[in-house]
Structures are given as structure tokens and as C-alpha cells.
Amino acid sequence: MGRRPPGGGGRRGAGGGGGDADPAGGGEALAVWTLPRLGVAVRNDPQDVRLRYGERELRHAPGTGWRAVGFTLPGGTGLAAPQAIGPSLYVPLAALRLLGVPVTADTPSLLGFAAPATVPEETLPPSPDLPAPDAAPVPPALPPLANLDTVRVGRSVYRTVEVQRVVLEFSAAAPHSVVRESGGLSVVLPRVTGTPSQTALRSGDLLRVEPAGNGVRVHLRTGGGTSEIFTLNNPYRVVIDTTTHLDPRVPPPVNPEALPEGVTYRTRGGLHLLSFDPARFQPRVVTAPVGAARDVAALVGAAGAVAGVNGGYFDPASSLPVDLVAVGGFLTAGSLEKRAAVGFTPQGTPLFGYPRPRYVVGGDLGTLTVNGVGAKVRPTLLTAFVGDGATRVGAEGLTTLWSEGGRVSRVVSGPAVPPRGLLALTFDPARFPALPRTPGARLTVSVNWQATDAPWERAQDALAAGPLLVREGRVVLDPKREAFDTGASIWRATRQVAFGVLEGQPTVAYLEHGTPEAFAAALAGAGVRDAVRLDSGSSATAYLTGGYAGLGGYLNTVWSRPVPNAIVFVPKVTGAQK
């Protein structure tokens, strides 16, 4: 067996097996777990160490020290107590000498033992005379603080959202803790008395009241709902509200009792109206990436808004708008110049009418009207596109100018990807020789709204859809003026959605089912002053954040398809809260 002198490393030696030696109490010590290799039966317990070799046994317990069984310890032996060093318990080498374990070599570099006749396999039992530990004193039982007097359960269903309320009513204040569990929760109530029970609730949930230590435990198995817990006083109550979306195939409804401050919800038959305080919220037009469509809820979330409604008509195959879209003073989709539009000033004031907006390019060349908006290659036209950092414009033989700060910032021949937020003008230089082709040249781009029915020159955002339904409180529906085919599916009775103004507040309107004529009549009858229909039918979506248990709420009762743009309501910096 290797000797490990203080401060040194162990070596292998001859004899009945190897092991570790380590200093303990200033002398040589051996790990207890190695001693069975030497024929010593052991009990490796710091509270009751036992070493037995043949008829001799040594026992050690804290407070009593070493004791010999089967022989007498010589006077003045002074064995060091066992020591825990790292994960091992060590006993002095002198203890093995007293037991009579033969040592075949004991030099500074070698410690050897004779091979034992047998190697013990089992741990020795506890010492028979080991005193039993004193029993811990039992603290006196504390009196109960309260009794669980009553358990009440209520349940309501709003469309496909179930709201269940469990009320635990007590005789006095009852401190509690809540344990969230898989498929439910428990309310632990120490020092509370109550009658054990188990109740199957109408919702399918299971409610149990059962003893727990010196109190009771109320367990509610909810099966997937979202639970909120709060307390009420006079009398003291613990309330558990659980909200469950029963059918994800149906949109959850708006919660009229959880509207953001400054939002008003009204219904009139099948007509639903969400109005927004203009001092708190500003309507804006937002768009998905070019050629993409998004759920209205996603567009609302990306804008940091509280609500939103789908926007204008679009081609389902490409997700590209088919009529005017303007965002932040830029036209991102050209106008058909015949259908009603809604716009917003930088302050959020709504505009209604029939604008015919065009980009106008100015500079040393004089002025030119841009006759195309979008990334599509049109070699015969001067086209404009607001870069998104991903969409390519131009083609071989065409030139693209990047307009920035009233100047040409870059000139590119052939295909190019304009940076996000920069306006790019693409053209055939042979057809438009007056346009500059030198970086730094003067180049101004503005929007001429060409409208007489509203101060559209102040518009920052806009989109066209139509038809115009109500103007100054009167129905003004004119499908012929806006080139709508009343025999086509776009004019059918379906889900209808519009943007309007009611009592001076921007308002989203949703009709559960009806024709444009029925929709216009319902809006005028509800007192709406101005309103333009947005894309309806399978696109109709009106979404409000919050709702039941944070699900968000919808005026539409059917999930609608994703859309490329929407009108959203963003809190103003003046302190509107979501």
C-alpha cells in the first residue's frame, strides 16, 4: 500500500492491496473504504465508526471517542479521531496496529500489508450500545386562523371563450400560497380548517378540498385554461378566474370589460363599432413586406398598436395591393384613381375622398410625373419604389437613381436592390434623357394628391378601397362612380368592415352579414359621419389587444386570411396606455 507522507504523493507498495494514506491528526491515516482489502470489516459512518479484525474491534462516536471491544486499549494510546477529508473518512494507522493487522513494510516510501484470508463484503451493523439520539421536541400545535366557510363556482361562455370563477370564502384572513402544477394549481392554506370534498364542475374541471399538514389544500384541475388568482375583503376571499379558449377554430371575442382606456365598444344589432379617443390614439397605415401577407394581429403587434383592421384590396396570388397605399409620405402602391380612399395627417386626422396621387420629380430638369409605382420592371415607364432592402428593381438597359435628401445618392445600371426606406426611380435613359445620372445632382420627389374634396396635401398615410359608404352622415353609395360591378362577388352579402368617424372619433365598423347597401344604412343609422368600406368578406378582420386572459379579441366571428396592409391604432406619446 502506498504511503502518502504529509505534503507528498502516494506510491504503490507490496502487500495485500493498494489504498490511499493521508495525514490526519498529524500522523499517518488510511481511508476507511480501503480497509476491507486488508481484511478489516468496517462501518463507514462518521457518527458510528467501527473497525473489526478477528476478535478485536474499535468503535468511535463523537463525544465518546475510541472504545475497544474484545481487548483493552493500552494506557496513553491517544488515538486521533477519524477525519473527513474530501469525500473520504480517514482513521489513524495506529488503529490498525492496535487491531493486529500485520504490517509487512513500513518505510518512508513504502507501506505494505499481508494479503488477508478473506475480504469482508458487508458493512457492520450499528454499535449495539450506541445511544439513541434524543427525540426532537414537538412544537405545540398552533390554533387555526380561519375556516373555509363557502366555495362558490360560476361559469360564463363568450363565443368560444369560457370564463370560470371559483370563490373561496373564509371566516377570517387566511394566508396562502399558490403552487402551479401541470394541468392545474393548488392553493395551500396553513392553519385553515375546512371540510374535505371533491366536486366535478360544469366546465369539466375538478375541485378538491383536502387536509394538508396543519391546514387544507384546494386543488383545481383546469385541463389547460389560464388562471389568475387574487383576493377580496369583507369577507376575506381567494378568487380563481380560469379562462379557456374552447375552440381555436373560432376567433375569441372582444372583452367589453377589459378595453384599453380611451377605447369605446358599441353594438347595434349585427353592427359592431370600436371607437378610439384621438387624444390617445393615432391611426396609421402599416404594411407587410413586399409580396407578403400577415395576420392583422401580427401587424398590430409589430407596430406597437392596440388594435387594427385589414386594409385595401389585393391580389391573393401575389399579396400585392391593387390600389393606393401610402406610408410615411411615400406611395408604396399606385392609385387606380377612381375609388374612395381614407388618409391620415401626421396628427392622425382622417381624410375621406377620391385623391389621384402621383409622384412628381423635380430638379434641374424641371418636373416629371412618375407614372408607375412598384418594383415590377416596366421599360416604357418612369417607376418609383420604396426600398425594403430585399426587393430587386431594374433590368439590363435600365437605370435606377436613389433619391436621398433632395439629391441623387447613387446611380445603378441594371438590376439593383435599393436600401430600406430609400426611394428608387427606374427608367430607360433613352426615353427619359432629362433625368440626372450623376451622384449629387439635384433631385426632389414629392406627392401631388390631385384632390379637391379634402386637404389631401397634408396626408401622410392613405389607402384606397371603397366604396365610400357615408359622407357627412348621409349614405352616398355610388358603385358606378367607383367602377364596382354590383353583379360580382365583391358586392355580395358577406362580412363587411369599414373605417369611419363616429362622434369625432376614428372608428372601426364591422357588420356580421349584409350587402354594402345594408352596411351603409346601418352606419348612418348609428350616427357615423363618414365611412369607407375596406376589403371585406374573407379578409374582414377587426382585432383588439387584451381580450380574455390576453387572448386578444376579434369583432369577426370567422378567422380571416392574412393581408398585405392594415390600419392600426398606435398610442400617442401623450401617455395613452395599452
Side-chain angles (χ1 to χ4, degrees):
M1 175 171 288
R3 174 192 295 273
R4 184 177 295 165
R11 293 179 176 85
R12 298 296 295 173
D20 288 333
D22 213 340
E28 291 295 335
L30 299 174
V32 172
W33 63 271
T34 68
L35 300 185
R37 305 177 192 175
L38 310 180
V40 180
V42 302
R43 179 172 180 79
N44 192 356
D45 180 350
Q47 303 301 314
D48 181 23
V49 177
R50 292 182 60 186
L51 311 176
R52 187 170 66 197
Y53 187 77
E55 300 298 323
R56 292 191 169 199
E57 185 174 316
L58 284 172
R59 302 175 182 176
H60 182 278
T64 60
W66 286 103
R67 291 177 295 159
V69 178
F71 73 107
T72 303
L73 286 175
T77 302
L79 283 177
Q83 291 192 23
I85 301 176
S88 300
L89 188 66
Y90 287 80
V91 295
L93 175 60
L96 273 66
R97 296 183 188 276
L98 290 171
L99 290 172
V101 178
V103 178
T104 60
D106 187 3
T107 69
S109 61
L110 186 66
L111 178 62
F113 298 89
T118 60
V119 176
E121 295 182 357
E122 298 183 0
T123 300
L124 293 172
S127 300
D129 57 350
L130 187 67
D134 295 335
V138 178
L142 297 174
L145 295 173
N147 182 69
L148 176 55
D149 290 341
T150 307
V151 177
R152 298 195 305 274
V153 180
R155 176 178 179 265
S156 299
V157 176
Y158 306 93
R159 196 179 292 172
T160 58
V161 174
E162 174 193 75
V163 179
Q164 174 181 267
R165 170 164 288 188
V166 175
V167 181
L168 311 175
E169 187 173 310
F170 300 88
S171 60
H176 67 278
S177 61
V178 178
V179 180
R180 299 280 180 175
E181 303 161 344
S182 177
L185 58 85
S186 288
V187 180
V188 181
L189 298 140
R191 299 176 61 188
V192 170
T193 58
T195 302
S197 64
Q198 178 168 301
T199 307
L201 308 182
R202 289 177 55 204
S203 63
D205 295 351
L206 184 67
L207 182 67
R208 291 199 311 269
V209 179
E210 55 196 15
N214 65 339
V216 296
R217 172 178 176 264
V218 178
H219 174 74
L220 179 63
R221 187 188 67 194
T222 60
T226 301
S227 296
E228 177 187 0
I229 300 176
F230 57 94
T231 60
L232 299 172
N233 294 313
N234 300 319
Y236 187 83
R237 287 154 288 168
V238 175
V239 181
I240 309 170
D241 281 348
T242 303
T243 304
T244 305
H245 193 191
L246 301 175
D247 187 354
R249 296 171 300 177
V250 179
V254 168
N255 182 357
E257 298 181 0
L259 300 175
E261 188 174 356
V263 178
T264 304
Y265 175 47
R266 285 166 275 205
T267 61
R268 183 169 175 170
L271 179 67
H272 301 255
L273 302 163
L274 275 176
S275 299
F276 299 82
D277 182 353
R280 291 180 173 273
F281 300 102
Q282 178 160 341
R284 291 179 182 169
V285 174
V286 295
T287 63
V290 176
R294 296 285 186 269
D295 293 331
V296 169
L299 294 173
V300 168
V306 300
V309 59
N310 65 284
Y313 304 109
F314 64 98
D315 173 24
S318 65
S319 294
L320 293 176
V322 297
D323 209 337
L324 165 68
V325 178
V327 179
F330 288 110
L331 304 180
T332 61
S335 173
L336 296 177
E337 301 185 358
K338 59 187 177 183
R339 290 183 174 163
V342 58
F344 308 107
T345 69
Q347 295 74 35
T349 302
L351 305 168
F352 297 89
Y354 299 92
R356 296 183 296 160
R358 295 283 188 93
Y359 278 122
V360 176
V361 178
D364 297 333
L365 58 108
T367 61
L368 281 175
T369 298
V370 175
N371 43 20
V373 175
K376 182 178 179 180
V377 176
R378 300 175 182 178
T380 62
L381 303 181
L382 170 60
T383 61
F385 175 73
V386 180
D388 60 1
T391 303
R392 187 175 69 174
V393 301
E396 293 299 329
L398 301 182
T399 298
T400 298
L401 308 178
W402 295 355
S403 173
E404 189 172 8
R407 300 280 177 177
V408 175
S409 62
R410 187 176 175 185
V411 180
V412 180
S413 296
V417 177
R420 180 181 297 275
L422 288 189
L423 185 67
L425 297 172
T426 301
F427 58 96
D428 179 352
R431 290 179 175 272
F432 298 92
L435 285 171
R437 291 188 290 280
T438 305
R442 284 200 316 124
L443 185 71
T444 61
V445 182
S446 59
V447 177
N448 182 353
W449 287 93
Q450 303 183 73
T452 59
D453 50 5
W456 282 91
E457 69 278 359
R458 296 168 51 205
Q460 177 173 276
D461 295 350
L463 60 81
L468 189 65
L469 300 171
V470 179
R471 190 70 168 138
E472 296 182 352
R474 296 183 299 105
V475 173
V476 292
L477 199 62
D478 189 348
K480 184 176 181 180
R481 173 179 179 176
E482 298 187 35
F484 280 108
D485 181 358
T486 57
S489 62
I490 199 171
W491 209 261
R492 72 190 186 281
T494 184
R495 303 184 298 277
Q496 304 280 348
V497 66
F499 180 92
V501 174
L502 173 62
E503 297 177 357
Q505 295 188 333
T507 297
V508 172
Y510 177 81
L511 184 68
E512 294 174 6
H513 186 79
T515 61
E517 289 87 353
F519 193 23
L523 292 171
V528 172
R529 177 176 173 81
D530 301 289
V532 63
R533 188 177 92 149
L534 305 175
D535 188 6
S536 296
S538 58
S539 297
T541 308
Y543 170 79
L544 181 68
T545 56
Y548 295 95
L551 292 172
Y554 293 80
L555 298 183
N556 44 296
T557 58
V558 178
W559 288 114
S560 302
R561 62 186 176 186
V563 295
N565 51 65
I567 298 173
V568 301
F569 295 83
V570 180
K572 288 188 174 180
V573 181
T574 51
Q577 298 297 314
K578 295 176 70 173

